[in-house]
Amino acid sequence: DTAVSQTPKYLVTQMGNDKSIKCEQNLGHDTMYWYKQDSKKFLKIMFSYNNKELIINETVPNRFSPKSPDKAHLNLHINSLELGDSAVYFCASSSRDRGGDTEAFFGQGTRLTVV
Amino acid sequence: AQSVTQLDSQVPVFEEAPVELRCNYSSSVSVYLFWYVQYPNQGLQLLLKYLSGSTLVESINGFEAEFNKSQTSFHLRKPSVHISDTAEYFCAVSDRGGGADGLTFGKGTHLIIQP
């Protein structure tokens, strides 16, 4: 069984379009994340969400918005896509203790190409 | 806030030779430490982690890492590498402040195994 699954795996779209990436986890975790991996492989957190609190990385444009219908899902909506949005987007969920994240489980990634 | 430095962007090693991938971190609070591996066109997989206890942690495929608090390091080592170890390796930290801030990653080290 896949722990964290995201769809689609590949997404090619034109500038200006609106698109969504879906993510589901079956691990029972309360906290989910979206990360962006750029062309140089650098990973940076975009959002974290734990059904109580949404934490937004202040550098993320407001064209990006997470939507969580329930604690097993955290979808990513992107409006007015730009060329610079091309990247691999990873969804993750985390097990936690009182201190913080004890392990993050990642999806296989969605390679977004904006043309 | 925390940061992670992986000084080597690329490490070429001959097959069956030992390897060390360096990781240093900076944080104002206690952290958990992780190494993740990313094989080509795949997601991230946890290799090993330090949460507490013994400062030497091992993975099932022969890697080990040692937490050194005084040097704020968590270097990854393997005594004898194989072709299949070719991948991108990421060091990461999560702070133990209780918040859902996710993982902070280093820029990654590309391990290249030469026959």
Side-chain angles (χ1 to χ4, degrees), chain B:
Chain B
Q2 54 265 11
S3 65
V4 178
T5 302
Q6 292 180 248
L7 288 172
D8 305 307
S9 60
Q10 193 167 287
V11 173
V13 182
F14 286 107
E15 195 172 14
E16 297 184 5
V19 69
E20 179 179 79
L21 306 184
R22 296 179 291 169
C23 173
N24 288 88
Y25 70 93
S26 168
S27 178
S28 56
V29 299
S30 297
V31 295
Y32 293 142
L33 295 152
F34 308 85
W35 276 99
Y36 279 84
V37 59
Q38 184 178 29
Y39 298 103
N41 298 314
Q42 293 190 27
L44 287 87
Q45 302 172 32
L46 180 70
L47 194 57
L48 44 74
K49 62 182 178 183
Y50 171 77
L51 303 181
S52 65
S54 172
T55 56
L56 183 66
V57 291
E58 299 176 350
S59 72
I60 58 173
N61 56 356
F63 284 94
E64 63 177 32
E66 185 160 19
F67 169 51
N68 187 319
K69 188 175 182 179
S70 63
Q71 297 186 5
T72 59
S73 67
F74 191 55
H75 301 330
L76 181 70
R77 290 185 281 263
K78 188 170 186 180
S80 176
V81 296
H82 302 284
I83 287 285
S84 59
D85 293 324
T86 297
E88 195 82 22
Y89 291 80
F90 293 94
C91 183
V93 301
S94 72
D95 76 58
R96 295 174 63 178
D101 296 335
L103 299 179
T104 300
F105 285 90
K107 293 189 174 183
T109 298
H110 188 194
L111 178 60
I112 302 169
I113 310 301
Q114 301 168 330

Side-chain angles (χ1 to χ4, degrees), chain A residues 9-10 31 33 35 37 40-45 48-50 53 55 88 90 94-109 111, chain B residues 4 30 32-34 36 38-46 49-51 88 90 93-108:
Chain A
K9 189 170 183 178
Y10 300 97
T31 306
Y33 302 90
Y35 289 84
Q37 186 174 45
K40 295 184 178 180
K41 301 278 188 181
F42 184 50
L43 280 151
K44 194 168 183 182
I45 191 167
S48 67
Y49 191 84
N50 70 352
E53 186 179 11
I55 300 174
V88 181
F90 286 100
S94 288
S95 57
R96 295 172 57 78
D97 64 12
R98 288 184 189 176
D101 291 348
T102 55
E103 184 174 343
F105 296 79
F106 286 82
Q108 289 298 297
R111 183 175 295 276
Chain B
V4 178
S30 297
Y32 293 142
L33 295 152
F34 308 85
Y36 279 84
Q38 184 178 29
Y39 298 103
N41 298 314
Q42 293 190 27
L44 287 87
Q45 302 172 32
L46 180 70
K49 62 182 178 183
Y50 171 77
L51 303 181
E88 195 82 22
F90 293 94
V93 301
S94 72
D95 76 58
R96 295 174 63 178
D101 296 335
L103 299 179
T104 300
F105 285 90
K107 293 189 174 183

Side-chain angles (χ1 to χ4, degrees), chain A residues 2 4-6 23 89-93 105-109, chain B residues 42-44:
Chain A
T2 304
V4 181
S5 60
Q6 53 183 109
C23 179
Y89 292 85
F90 286 100
C91 177
S93 71
F105 296 79
F106 286 82
Q108 289 298 297
Chain B
Q42 293 190 27
L44 287 87

Side-chain angles (χ1 to χ4, degrees), chain A residues 19-37:
Chain A
K19 289 293 178 184
S20 296
I21 306 172
K22 295 185 177 180
C23 179
E24 176 181 5
Q25 56 98 359
N26 62 7
L27 298 166
H29 294 155
D30 287 334
T31 306
M32 296 183 71
Y33 302 90
W34 279 103
Y35 289 84
K36 179 181 180 180
Q37 186 174 45

